[in-house]
């Protein structure tokens, strides 16, 4: 025991002065040395992301906090490095983040304040560090990713369907049949039937329509994973700068007596719920099925489209009566007309909402 204690004491005497000397010297020398940024557009989804990379001459720790309010910003505190040559303000892309202010908060600590044109939520950014890679001649790095957020100010809807750009996604397709009814009817078939009828009605009304598919096929690739497939569908809206995104599906449940129509939305803009409500109201007014209401849902396409979007579950393909209805051209035409009436009603209301918002700001 006493020998071990002696050994410990010796080690302490040997180590303490050296380590404290070494760490204080190193941290006072560590500096932020370079900053660069670029905007990356996801090839599949069309979504944009700003990446800010800060080179550091040694390892540091970084933590982030979001601040909303009149001047929204993302603040990153760096412990273990001074701002060095980066002290001051540096312009960023201007859309996702305006600029970055870098200041000293102590002998070996810095604060990076990224000013944002609008507040974002916790899921919209990511902060991480990368160790130095001598082989690749890369220093220690702090990386900040911020996803593009939707500016509510960009939505200025006008009444009417003429001149509108509408993206339509007939659910499933190709190797993905979707739900299958008791009589063997596949969801992918009826979603396409109705979508093509919606397309025809909208084009007759003077709108431009982009379809994720017009035949029985996978949109991204056969037997692909869900995310690239869904991202490819959202991209049809994003790349074509659609005014609204329409997703058409049929529901399914273990109990075959369950039936009805429901419309889903994700509240990413001021208009998503309004859109879903108008669609649901107009569709159930025509199709005569149980009104299962408007529901909030975290569905990929609803969340990753940059415009108001809805997903309609037209009817239950698992319900024998509704399965028959879904294959009937008359019912399909009613569904299509209900969706188009809902879009028309939405644009009228959204135009009024936009006008009111502008007036209240003046
Ligand atoms: Zn489906």
């Amino acid at each position: 025991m006493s020998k071990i204690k002696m050994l410990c004491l010796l080690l302490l005497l040997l180590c303490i002065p050296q380590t404290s000397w070494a760490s204080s010297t190193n941290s006072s020398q560590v500096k932020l040395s370079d900053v660069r940024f670029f905007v990356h557009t996801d090839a599949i989804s069309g979504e944009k992301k700003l990446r800010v990379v800060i080179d550091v001459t040694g390892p540091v720790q970084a933590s982030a906090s979001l601040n909303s309010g009149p001047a929204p910003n993302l603040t990153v505190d760096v412990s273990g490095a001074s701002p060095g040559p980066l002290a001051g303000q540096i312009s960023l892309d201007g859309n996702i983040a305006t600029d970055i202010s870098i200041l000293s908060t102590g002998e070996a600590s810095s604060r990076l304040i990224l000013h944002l044109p609008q507040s974002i939520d916790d899921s919209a950014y990511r902060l991480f560090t990368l160790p130095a890679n001598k082989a690749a001649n890369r220093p220690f790095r702090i990386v900040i990713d911020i996803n593009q957020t939707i500016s509510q100010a960009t939505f200025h809807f006008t009444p009417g369907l003429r001149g509108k750009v509408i993206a339509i996604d007939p659910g499933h397709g190709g190797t993905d049949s979707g739900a299958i009814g008791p009589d063997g009817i596949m969801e992918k078939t009826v979603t396409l039937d109705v979508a093509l009828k919606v397309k025809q009605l909208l084009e007759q009304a003077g709108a431009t329509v982009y379809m994720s598919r017009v035949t029985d096929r996978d949109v991204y690739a056969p037997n692909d994973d869900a995310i690239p497939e869904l991202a490819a569908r959202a991209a049809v809206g994003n790349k074509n700068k659609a005014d609204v995104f329409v997703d058409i599906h049929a529901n399914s449940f273990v109990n075959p007596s369950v039936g009805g129509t429901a419309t889903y939305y994700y509240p990413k803009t001021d208009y998503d719920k309004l859109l879903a409500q108008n669609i649901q109201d107009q569709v159930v007014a025509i199709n005569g099925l149980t009104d299962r209401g408007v529901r909030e849902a975290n569905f990929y396409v609803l969340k990753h489209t940059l415009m108001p979007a809805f997903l309609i579950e037209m009817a239950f393909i698992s319900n024998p009566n509704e399965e028959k209805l879904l294959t009937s051209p008359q019912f399909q035409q009613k569904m299509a007309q209900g969706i188009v009436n809902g879009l028309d009603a939405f644009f009228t209301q959204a135009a009024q909402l936009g006008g009111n918002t502008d007036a209240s700001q003046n």
Side-chain angles (χ1 to χ4, degrees), residues 152-173:
Q152 305 296 332
T154 62
F155 297 109
H156 288 293
F157 290 110
T158 54
L161 295 168
R162 182 161 300 278
K164 294 297 190 301
V165 178
I166 315 282
I168 306 177
D169 176 35
H172 312 281

Side-chain angles (χ1 to χ4, degrees), residues 70-272:
N73 66 76
L74 175 67
T75 295
V76 177
D77 280 310
V78 179
S79 145
S82 66
L86 298 189
Q89 198 169 31
I90 298 151
S91 293
L92 295 175
D93 73 305
N95 288 318
I96 300 175
T98 322
D99 54 60
I100 180 169
S101 297
I102 302 178
L103 46 109
S104 169
T105 49
E107 204 172 305
S109 58
S110 310
R111 178 165 290 167
L112 321 174
I113 305 170
L114 290 94
H115 296 106
L116 310 169
Q118 59 193 316
S119 17
I120 60 171
D121 64 36
D122 282 332
S123 65
Y125 80 88
R126 204 158 67 102
L127 167 72
F128 58 96
T129 56
L130 292 169
N133 181 341
K134 277 188 183 140
N137 199 25
R138 300 267 201 172
F140 189 94
R141 283 145 292 163
I142 301 167
V143 183
I144 304 155
D145 284 340
I146 306 176
N147 294 331
Q148 180 181 35
T149 47
I150 302 159
S151 169
Q152 305 296 332
T154 62
F155 297 109
H156 288 293
F157 290 110
T158 54
L161 295 168
R162 182 161 300 278
K164 294 297 190 301
V165 178
I166 315 282
I168 306 177
D169 176 35
H172 312 281
T175 56
D176 171 17
S177 65
I180 301 176
D183 249 352
I185 300 300
M186 293 180 184
E187 182 184 352
K188 67 174 182 178
T189 310
V190 297
T191 58
L192 181 59
D193 288 345
V194 173
L196 289 170
K197 289 178 163 64
V198 175
K199 176 180 190 280
Q200 193 183 26
L201 289 171
L202 285 173
E203 286 175 347
Q204 282 167 4
T208 301
V209 175
Y210 292 96
M211 303 277 290
S212 63
R213 64 183 182 99
V214 291
T215 56
D216 178 17
R217 68 173 188 93
D218 299 83
V219 174
Y220 185 66
N223 298 304
D224 55 359
D225 290 333
I227 295 301
E229 180 66 25
L230 295 171
R233 290 165 190 261
V236 174
N238 295 344
K239 286 179 180 167
N240 293 302
K241 300 188 170 20
D243 292 304
V244 298
F245 186 90
V246 176
D247 209 336
I248 299 176
H249 283 253
N251 222 332
S252 181
F253 193 59
V254 284
N255 179 348
S257 66
V258 170
T261 303
T263 304
Y264 295 82
Y265 70 97
Y266 179 78
K268 64 182 187 290
T269 78
D270 293 343
Y271 297 93
D272 292 78

Side-chain angles (χ1 to χ4, degrees), residues 15 51 60 85 99 229 253 255 277 283 319 338:
C15 295
R51 171 163 286 186
V60 293
D99 54 60
E229 180 66 25
F253 193 59
N255 179 348
Q277 189 65 61
V283 167
N319 175 316

